[in-house]
Each structure stands twice: as C-alpha cells, then as structure tokens.
C-alpha cells in the first residue's frame, strides 16, 4: 500500500517543445491572449509581439492561423514575432477576432503514419505493482495520435497524417497510472496527467496564392509612362516556413504594361492616348524559388491570376457644335414667315459632338428663346448627333412681330460633376407675306362740320394700318353708302371732305352716316362707319305768322303770341319774348319763354281797366319782340292789338274754364274725374252700410220725421242751368228753361231777371268802395251736362252783355285745337 498521494513525473526525450511567455491580458507581448485593439487603428500599425522560448535553446519561429473563410486581420513576422494590422477594423461588423498563434523550434517535421514523435515517462516511487506505470491518452474524437502503454512512445495513428495548413498545433493529454494496491484497507489506483503540445512544422508542399482577387486596374487620360496601374499581392502556401515569391506577366500586356517582380506593381509603359483598346486583361504569374515537397522536383510551384485594366475617359472635353466647315457657334437662315407647324427648318445643318467617352459624352440639347415657337430634336445625345429644329408654333414666326428671331442652342452634360456645356446662336431672318388685313384704328369715326361750309371743307380724318411691308402694307381708302355722294375721301391720307359742289344745311339734314373701306394691293380690306353731324348756325331770325296780331284778352287769362325760328338746334331756335313798347305803358307783362301776355296782377276788373284808359273800346297795342339765343342773336317784332273784356263767370270754375278754353279736353277730363270720385264715395258708403246691417240680427225700425213749412213763407225753387257741349263755343252759353231763352253766338245776351232768394247776400267788407258793393249782382242757376247730366256750382253774373268778340275768339281757338288734333291721325 502507498501512503499519501503519489506524484508522477513525466520525462520526454531530449526534444522539448517551445512555449510562449504568458505576460497577462494587458501586455503587448507574449502569447497574445485577450489582446485588445481600437477599431480606428491604421492599417500597417505594429500592434503586438509574440514572445516565447525553447527549452533546448533552439531558435523558435512564430505563426498565426485564422479560420477558413475569415478575414486575416494580422500578419506576423515568423522570426521576430512582430504582429502588424493588415485589414481595416470595424467593431460594428465584427467585435471579436479568433486567431491561433503557434511557436516551433523547427526540429520535428511532418511525419508519416505510425511515426514515433515523442516519448513520455512517469516515475512511481512505490514498490511492486503499486510502482508499475502504464500510459493511456485521454479520449478525444479528433485525436490523430496513439501511445504505447508500456513505453510511453507517442505515435501518429495509422491512416492519419499531419498537415500544417489544416492544424498546425495539436494538444494531447497523457494519463499515467500505477498498478494499484491497498492503502488503509482500501484498494486504490493512483494516476497523474500531463499535456503534450505538438507543433506541426510546415513543409514546402503548397504553391503560392494571390490575395484579394479579382484584380481591377484603371488607366486615366492624364497618365504618363511609368504610372502605377495596380499592385498584386501573393503569399507562399507554406505559411509556417514561407519562401520568397516572384511576379511576372504571362500574357495580355500587348507590350504596354510591366510588373515589378518583387512588389507586384503593374505600370503602363506608354501614353494612354496611344492605347488601342479600352479594356485589357493581363495574366500575372507568381512563383517561389524552390521545389516543393510532394511536387515534381523539376517544376517550380506557381499561381496565375488575371488583372483587368480599363482605360478610363476623363471628362475633359465639352460638347461642340459643327457646321459644314467645322466648329461653329452661330447658325443663320432666311425663310418666309408662318411656316406650318411640324415643318423642319432645312436651312440649318448642325452637328453636335462630345469627344469624351461613355457617361462623359452624354448631354442634353435645348433651345432658349421665344417660348414654344421651335423645338430641337434630339433632346438627349450620346457622343454625337445631327441637330434638327422643328416649327412648333407658326404664329410665333411672324414678320410683323419682328423680322428676326434669335435663339440660343444649348448642349449641357447631364451625368458629370463638371457639367460642361456649349452654346450656339440660332438666327432666323424672316421674309414678309401678305398675311394681315388693313384695320381701322376705330370701329367708327365722328365728324362735325358747320352748315353752309364751302365745298371741299375737311370733316374728319380716318386711319387704317396694315403691318405688312411693301405694297401689301399700302392702304387705299374708298367711301360708299347712303349720303356718301356729298363727301369725298382721299385715297391715301384718309381725309374726308365735302364735295366741291356741296353746301350742307342743318335745317334740311343734320345727320349723315356711311361706310369707308381700307383695302391693300391684294384686295384684303376692312370697314368702318362714319357719323357726320352738320352743326347748326344761327342763320334764321324768329318769325311771327303776321306782323299785326289781333288778340282778345279776358281779364285774368293770358293771350299767347308765338314766333318760329327755323334753325335746327338749340340755342339757335330757342326764343325769348319781351315787350318793347305798350300803350298804355306798364299794364302788361309777358312770359319770356312761352310768349303768354298777361295783365299786371293789380288789374283785376274792367273798372280798373277803364280807369287806366279813357277809351271805351279798351283796345290796347303792344310791340312784342322775339329774339333767339344764338350767337349772333337775331330778333323780330310784331304789333299785338289786344281787346280787353271780362268773363261772365266767377269763381274757381270760371278760372278753370278760362285756363282751359284752349284745351276743352282738359275741362272734360276734370268733369269725369269729379264724377268718378262721387261714384266711388257713394259705393264706399253703400258697402259700409250693407256690411253693418249684415252683421246685425235685428231689423231696425223705420222712423220718419216730417217737418212742416211755415205757412207764410213762399217756396224757393232753384234749377241748374244746362251747359251743352255740342258746339265748343257753347260752353259759355246758358240755357234757362224757365225764361224760355237760349243765347246764340254772336248775339248780345239779354239781362235775365234776378230770381227770388231766400235771404239777402252778406254785407261787403268795410274797405270796399261803395260803388262796388252797392251794384246789383244777378244770380244764375244752371246745370253742366257732358255725357250725362251733372250738377255745377252756381255763380254770380255781372250785369251787361258779353261781347261777340269773346265768343268768336273762343270758337276760333277751339276749332284750331280740333284741327291740330285731327292732323295727328293723317
């Protein structure tokens, strides 16, 4: 039995494995465990030093291995252990990098299957079975090794091989156990373990390979011979013990490219303008300088790749316009106005070109000028195109709007940052055509000319414009229409005058209108209307119908004189009346506008008239003047003899009849109006009584009051006189049946006996003269009949006869009015 735990020491052969120094996670040298680096570290930066040693003192070599398919971010110098960053880091894409570091002393090489590569030895200080030691490997599914249980020799399993490129380092755990024995009454077996690190030494069995393929290079127009195009990168497949590599061009350079054998830098040997192709495919070879184990010793290991080189065009040429003789920036053509829409302007021969290539030669064409008059085709061009200009709006190509049209033709690159452009002037000279009609400046013209103007006098000037040029723009004027024969128009100037033999009279005709025509040389014309007014001149004096006028005047009513002025317009035919002389003086006044002559307001009776003049006939004479308001003014006079008389009627009705003696229809209308009012009042009262009785449910008793007349008082009868209108002059005749008398026109009226009155008339005012109120005043009763019997007011009648002159004058006036009314129907 053994006391306590037994330690087993493992001894190997003299070839011990090298190992790394473990200097902790914060260190920048050692085994690179838990190494941290900032993502903004620049590519090529020295970031770590691998550091280790070999127990036998042999020199060591270092290596880095990454998983297949992953990026190799670091590269180590196998001798110094210096690690450099070779790929840009991005923490957001990958925040952790796994890498396998290796260290080897270079003694062991790759071995064949069942080759002995190491011997382990354990010592047990116990005696007997407890001191015997046997060896086994800790089970592992990927283990390529086996161990002899008695000798401790570690071998490669049959059928297995070691490959540096696959697994450069293996870790094997060996278990050493004794034969067992009793200890403190119990049987126990003691064991110990040890880990063996097996570093596989890379053998020269792999060819070199290119890194970062595929390769693309570019040649620019500004490049010169010797300019770098691209640098290829390759490495030996035996990373643990790499050999130097060399580069060369196999094919595709066409003698214009060269490569540096050590660095892999490809350069161009000529100017890019001399290159015949846009695309080159160069085959580049990389090889090592030693034969590889496992390959034919007579062949050297190598690799081939393709570098695609494109000749890139720089945008260093602007678009250019060309004419028939080369570059041109102005194009001019002459054509007629108003070509049809869609027509191609064939006078232009324009080509546009951009000598750059690809997108650098893509540009757009457009016209700058009057909107939508012309358009350019094509609008997008690649390299070169024939420019076509097409008419879009024929109305915009108008000679009258301008004999020359100017445009700017622009070519502007569209897919380049430089946006080169070119400009050309497009000039179109137009030829005029007769495409316009002469047009008057107004639709109508108004002229005025004084009457009696001499023949050939100017009336009005008309103007028509034709914007066409040459004979097409020359306008000829003519005149026609009713009344135009009295006038003449100048064919060129458009001045309208009266004919030489024409004398215009406003009293004969004051308005003329006719048409004028403006016509060009091809018969295109327009019309306008002319209105001419003959201005009235004051060339006629007022005229009375007679130089001596006989008038009969009833006191309180006017007599009228009337003059006529044959002038056509106001104020030449407007007449003002005035009294020049009168006998007696200061007895009359006249309305200046109507010619009505009235007695002065203080003359209200024949008695006053008789007091003014001692003549019994009461015949007065006036000299009345009629003057027009023209300039100069004309006047004429007439003698008016007036017989003064007094109407037998008094009161408002008399005044109304006097005012209406020249207009009997006015009197008739008044009577009809009064009757209508009376009828309306009667109907209203009757309706009100009927409505009141209809609302009552009882019958009112009839009461009758009889008032007896005193016996000693005689009854007084009153009958209205009847005024008949069978003869207009009879409106002043009174028919009294009781007297049995009828007054006829032209005979003196008999003095009727006064009727008996029920009472005396009221006393006169105190300021009335005795001779006036003591005069006996007869009373007249009568009735006015017109279209039926009507009642009339009673009026007082003055004693004496009415002169026959009054009745004759009234009859004459009435007949004149009837004749005038009848003339309106013919």
């Amino acid at each position: 039995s053994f006391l306590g735990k037994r330690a087993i020491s493992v001894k190997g052969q003299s070839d011990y494995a090298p190992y790394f120094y473990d200097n902790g996670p914060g260190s920048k040298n050692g085994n690179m465990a838990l190494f941290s680096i900032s993502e903004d570290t620049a590519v090529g930066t020295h970031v770590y030093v691998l550091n280790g040693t070999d127990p036998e003192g042999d020199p060591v070599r270092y290596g880095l291995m990454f998983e297949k398919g992953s990026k190799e971010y670091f590269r180590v110098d196998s001798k110094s252990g210096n690690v450099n960053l070779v790929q840009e880091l991005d923490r957001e894409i990958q925040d952790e990098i796994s890498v396998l570091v290796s260290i080897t002393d270079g003694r062991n090489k790759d071995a064949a299957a069942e080759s002995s590569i190491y011997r382990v030895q354990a010592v047990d200080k116990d005696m007997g079975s407890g001191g015997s030691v046997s060896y086994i490997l800790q089970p592992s599914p990927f283990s390529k090794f086996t161990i002899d249980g008695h000798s401790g020799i570690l071998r490669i399993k049959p059928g297995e091989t070691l490959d540096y490129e696959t697994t450069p380092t293996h870790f094997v755990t060996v278990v050493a156990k004794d034969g067992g024995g009793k200890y403190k009454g119990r049987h126990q077996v003691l064991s110990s373990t040890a880990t063996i690190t097996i570093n596989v030494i890379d053998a020269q069995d792999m060819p070199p390979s290119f890194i970062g393929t595929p390769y693309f290079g570019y040649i620019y127009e500004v490049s010169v011979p010797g300019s770098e195009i691209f640098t290829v990168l390759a490495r030996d497949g035996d990373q643990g013990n790499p050999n130097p590599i060399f580069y060369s061009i196999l094919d595709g350079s066409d003698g214009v490219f060269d490569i540096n054998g050590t660095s892999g830098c490809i350069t161009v040997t000529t100017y890019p303008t001399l290159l015949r192709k846009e695309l080159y495919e160069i085959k580049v070879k990389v090889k090592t300088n030693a034969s590889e184990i496992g390959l034919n010793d007579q062949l050297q290991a190598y690799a081939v790749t393709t570098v695609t080189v494109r000749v890139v065009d720089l945008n260093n040429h602007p678009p250019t316009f060309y004419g028939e003789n080369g570059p041109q920036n102005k194009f001019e053509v002459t054509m007629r106005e108003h070509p049809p829409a869609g027509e191609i302007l064939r006078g232009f021969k324009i080509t546009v070109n951009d000598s750059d290539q690809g997108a650098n030669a893509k540009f757009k064409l457009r016209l700058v000028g009057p909107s939508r008059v012309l358009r350019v085709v094509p609008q997008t061009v690649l390299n070169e195109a024939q420019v076509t200009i097409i008419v879009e709006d024929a109305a915009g190509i108008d000679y009258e709007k301008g004999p020359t049209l100017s445009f700017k033709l622009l070519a502007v690159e569209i897919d380049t940052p430089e946006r080169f452009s070119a400009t050309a002037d497009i000039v179109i000279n137009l030829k005029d055509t007769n495409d316009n009609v002469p047009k008057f400046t107004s639709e109508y013209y108004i002229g005025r000319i004084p009457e009696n103007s001499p023949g050939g006098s100017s009336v009005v000037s008309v103007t028509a414009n034709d914007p066409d040029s040459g004979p097409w723009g020359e306008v000829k004027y003519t005149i026609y229409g009713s009344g135009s024969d009295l006038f003449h128009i100048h064919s060129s100037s458009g001045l309208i005058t009266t004919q030489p033999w024409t004398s215009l009279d406003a009293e004969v005709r004051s308005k003329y209108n006719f048409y004028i025509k403006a016509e060009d040389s091809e018969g295109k014309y327009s019309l306008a209307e002319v209105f001419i007014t003959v201005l009235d001149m004051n060339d006629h004096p007022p005229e009375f119908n007679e130089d001596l006028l006989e008038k009969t005047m009833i006191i309180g009513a006017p007599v009228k004189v009337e003059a006529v002025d044959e002038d056509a317009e106001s104020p030449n035919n407007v007449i003002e009346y005035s009294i020049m002389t009168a006998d007696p003086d200061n007895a009359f006044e006249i309305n200046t506008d109507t010619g009505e002559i009235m007695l002065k307001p203080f003359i209200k009776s024949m008695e006053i008239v008789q007091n003014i003049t001692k003549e019994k006939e009461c015949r007065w004479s006036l000299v009345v003047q009629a003057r027009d308001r023209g300039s100069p003014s004309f006047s004429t006079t007439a003698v008016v003899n007036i017989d003064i008389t007094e109407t037998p009627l008094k009161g408002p009705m008399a005044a109304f009849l006097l005012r209406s003696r020249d207009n009997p229809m006015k009197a008739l209308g008044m009577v009809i109006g009064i009757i209508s009012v009376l009828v309306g009042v009667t109907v209203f009262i009757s309706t009100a009584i009927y409505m009141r009785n209809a609302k009552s449910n009882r019958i009112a008793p009839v009461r009758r009051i009889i008032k007896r007349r005193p016996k000693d008082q005689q009854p007084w009868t009153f009958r209205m006189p009847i005024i008949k209108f069978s003869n207009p002059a009879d409106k002043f005749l009174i028919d009294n049946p009781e007297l049995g008398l009828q007054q006829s026109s032209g005979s003196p009226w008999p003095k009727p006996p006064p009727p008996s009155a029920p009472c005396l008339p009221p006393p006169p005012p105190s300021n009335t003269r005795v001779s006036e109120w003591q005069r006996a005043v007869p009373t007249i009763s009568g009735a006015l009949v017109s279209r039926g019997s009507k009642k009339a007011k009673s009026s007082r009648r003055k004693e004496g006869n009415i002169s026959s002159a009054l009745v004759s004058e009234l009859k004459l006036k009435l007949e004149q009015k009837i004749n005038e009314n009848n003339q309106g129907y013919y």
Side-chain angles (χ1 to χ4, degrees), residues 670-731:
M670 181 65 180
V671 172
I672 294 174
I674 293 174
I675 294 174
S676 299
V677 172
L678 293 176
V679 172
V681 172
T682 302
V683 171
F684 176 76
I685 294 174
S686 299
T687 303
I689 295 174
Y690 173 79
M691 296 298 293
R692 185 189 66 179
N693 293 338
K695 292 182 180 180
S696 176
N697 295 326
R698 59 192 180 93
I699 299 174
V702 178
R703 299 173 61 189
R704 187 175 182 181
I705 300 174
I706 300 175
K707 183 177 181 181
R708 297 183 180 274
R709 183 179 299 174
K711 294 182 179 180
D712 56 348
Q713 186 174 1
Q714 297 295 326
W716 177 72
T717 60
F718 175 78
R719 299 185 66 181
M720 293 294 294
I722 300 175
I723 301 177
K724 298 180 180 179
F725 286 90
S726 59
N727 187 348
D730 294 342
K731 60 185 178 179

Side-chain angles (χ1 to χ4, degrees), residues 445-448 457-462 494-497 530-532:
Y445 295 88
I446 298 176
R448 295 178 176 85
S457 298
S458 298
V459 180
V460 64
S461 182
V462 301
L495 177 63
I496 298 177
T497 60
V530 177
F531 298 88
I532 295 178

